[in-house]
């Protein structure tokens, strides 16, 4: 079930969420899941409630658009196996390290522990 009240959403956003919810229910998704997905979609598309007041966020519409755009770029980079900006090797999962090691053709990577992968990747830069 979606959290919080929906007072900050415009009537248009509420209608959009209702239509999306109905569409998911027609596909056989449960009522609760449909509602959660609908509001997630509305939030993704419009950046959340558009009426003033409430949470204290002072993001302008241009700031919201910029944040959504950079979010998409980061997600695409993650899918390609690129590290997140500022991410240290030690913070990466073993699977992420294995992918990087594979791309750099590091020998015997399948037998390495996480610490050994970090060490080998650190050597190549």
């Amino acid at each position: 079930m979606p959290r919080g009240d929906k007072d900050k959403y415009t009537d248009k956003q509420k209608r959009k969420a209702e239509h999306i919810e109905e569409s998911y229910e027609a596909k056989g998704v449960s009522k609760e899941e449909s509602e959660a997905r609908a509001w997630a979609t509305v939030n993704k598309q419009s950046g959340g409630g558009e009426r003033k007041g409430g949470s204290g966020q002072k993001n302008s519409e241009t700031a919201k658009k910029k944040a959504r755009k950079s979010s998409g770029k980061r997600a695409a980079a993650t899918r390609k196996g690129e590290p997140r900006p500022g991410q240290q090797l030690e913070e990466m999962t073993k699977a992420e390290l294995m992918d990087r090691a594979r791309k750099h053709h590091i020998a015997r990577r399948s037998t390495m522990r996480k610490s050994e992968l970090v060490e080998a990747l650190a050597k190549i830069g």
Side-chain angles (χ1 to χ4, degrees):
M1 180 108 176
R3 297 182 343 192
D5 82 43
K6 307 299 180 207
D7 291 344
K8 299 298 177 198
Y9 291 88
T10 64
D11 291 336
K12 181 178 179 181
Q13 289 173 310
K14 291 175 184 176
R15 282 193 310 274
K16 182 185 275 191
E18 187 177 326
H19 289 294
I20 294 168
E21 183 179 343
E22 290 170 0
S23 172
Y24 277 120
E25 287 176 4
K27 294 177 184 177
V29 178
S30 72
K31 172 82 173 146
E32 294 80 20
E33 181 67 18
S34 297
E35 187 177 1
R37 288 184 185 183
W39 284 109
T41 303
V42 169
N43 287 334
K44 180 71 174 180
Q45 291 176 348
S46 64
E50 295 179 350
R51 293 187 182 157
K52 293 188 183 283
S55 68
Q57 288 184 320
K58 309 252 188 284
N59 291 346
S60 66
E61 197 58 37
T62 55
K64 286 181 184 180
K65 284 182 183 178
K66 184 178 177 184
R68 284 194 300 271
K69 185 175 182 181
S70 69
S71 172
K73 287 181 179 179
R74 288 191 313 271
T78 300
R79 283 191 299 272
K80 292 177 189 172
E82 298 171 10
R84 293 181 290 276
Q87 183 182 27
Q88 301 296 319
L89 291 173
E90 294 81 11
E91 297 171 352
M92 297 175 83
T93 65
K94 185 174 180 185
E96 291 171 326
L97 293 169
M98 287 294 282
D99 286 341
R100 287 191 75 186
R102 187 176 303 112
K103 287 180 181 174
H104 290 288
H105 306 289
I106 294 176
R108 297 184 307 279
R109 64 185 172 268
S110 64
T111 61
M112 291 183 180
R113 294 186 177 112
K114 181 177 177 178
S115 60
E116 293 168 327
L117 285 167
V118 169
E119 187 177 320
L121 289 166
K123 285 180 183 176
I124 60 169

